[in-house]
Amino acid sequence: MSHAVQTTSPQVTGDLYAEVQTFYARQMRRVDSLDIEGFAGTFTEDAEIVHAGGHRQRGRTEMIAGMKANLPRYEGIAPRHWFGQVLIEPDAEDPGLLRVSYYTLVTLTDRDAKVSFQPTFLVDDELVRRNGQLLTRRRVIHVDTPA
C-alpha cells in the first residue's frame, strides 16, 4: 500500500533535502541516458515498482527485462524526467526509511528538436539507506486525473 507524504510533517534538514535531490538527479540521468543496469542499481535487489496502469515489477531482474523490452520506443528520442514539489518524510518508526512524494513530467525530444509531453504523474517512493547510499525500495506511480 502506498503511503502519501503528509504536507504537515516537520521540515527535513537542508542536507537531507539536497541528498535526496542529488539521488534523483543521478537516478534520472541514468534512465534518461538509457543506462538500464545503472538505473536498476539505484533500487534495492527486491524493489517493487507499481506503474500507473497497475502493472507491478518486483526486483532488479524484472525491472531490467521490462526496460529492455521498451527500448525500441526510445529510438531517436531523448527522454527527460523532470521532478518537482518534492516532499520528504522520515519514517517515525524506522529512521532508515524516507517516504518521498513528488510530481513528475516526462518530455521526449526527437531528432528535429520537437518536444512532446507525457502525462504528468504523482510518484510515492520509499527510499532506504544501504551501506551509506540511498536506494529506492518501492515506487508507486499515479497518473494525474481531474478531481
Side-chain angles (χ1 to χ4, degrees), residues 50-91:
V50 181
H51 294 274
H55 174 70
R56 291 178 186 268
Q57 291 175 318
R58 289 188 176 90
R60 288 181 186 163
T61 302
E62 239 180 75
M63 183 187 315
I64 290 169
M67 291 179 73
K68 283 185 176 179
N70 282 317
L71 276 177
R73 75 184 259 209
Y74 294 105
E75 178 130 357
I77 299 291
R80 295 291 182 261
H81 288 74
W82 305 92
F83 290 0
Q85 312 303 344
V86 178
L87 294 173
I88 303 167
E89 179 184 74
D91 189 277

Side-chain angles (χ1 to χ4, degrees), residues 6-132:
Q6 303 299 313
T7 57
T8 57
S9 296
Q11 184 168 316
V12 297
T13 67
D15 285 347
L16 180 60
Y17 192 83
E19 180 185 16
V20 169
Q21 288 281 41
T22 301
F23 168 78
Y24 284 125
R26 290 184 176 138
Q27 185 182 62
M28 290 303 107
R29 295 238 176 160
R30 287 184 173 122
V31 77
D32 288 344
S33 68
L34 305 179
D35 174 8
I36 293 170
E37 285 81 10
F39 176 72
T42 66
F43 288 77
T44 61
E45 281 289 338
D46 62 345
E48 177 183 49
I49 298 176
V50 181
H51 294 274
H55 174 70
R56 291 178 186 268
Q57 291 175 318
R58 289 188 176 90
R60 288 181 186 163
T61 302
E62 239 180 75
M63 183 187 315
I64 290 169
M67 291 179 73
K68 283 185 176 179
N70 282 317
L71 276 177
R73 75 184 259 209
Y74 294 105
E75 178 130 357
I77 299 291
R80 295 291 182 261
H81 288 74
W82 305 92
F83 290 0
Q85 312 303 344
V86 178
L87 294 173
I88 303 167
E89 179 184 74
D91 189 277
E93 296 174 18
D94 181 355
L97 172 64
L98 298 173
R99 297 184 191 281
V100 184
S101 181
Y102 52 90
Y103 300 145
T104 184
L105 171 69
V106 179
T107 59
L108 304 173
T109 305
D110 68 16
R111 294 185 194 278
D112 297 323
K114 181 181 174 199
V115 179
S116 62
F117 296 90
Q118 299 295 296
T120 55
F121 297 90
L122 169 68
V123 181
D124 291 317
D125 278 356
E126 290 180 3
L127 301 182
V128 294
R129 198 172 295 282
R130 299 283 190 268
N131 300 318

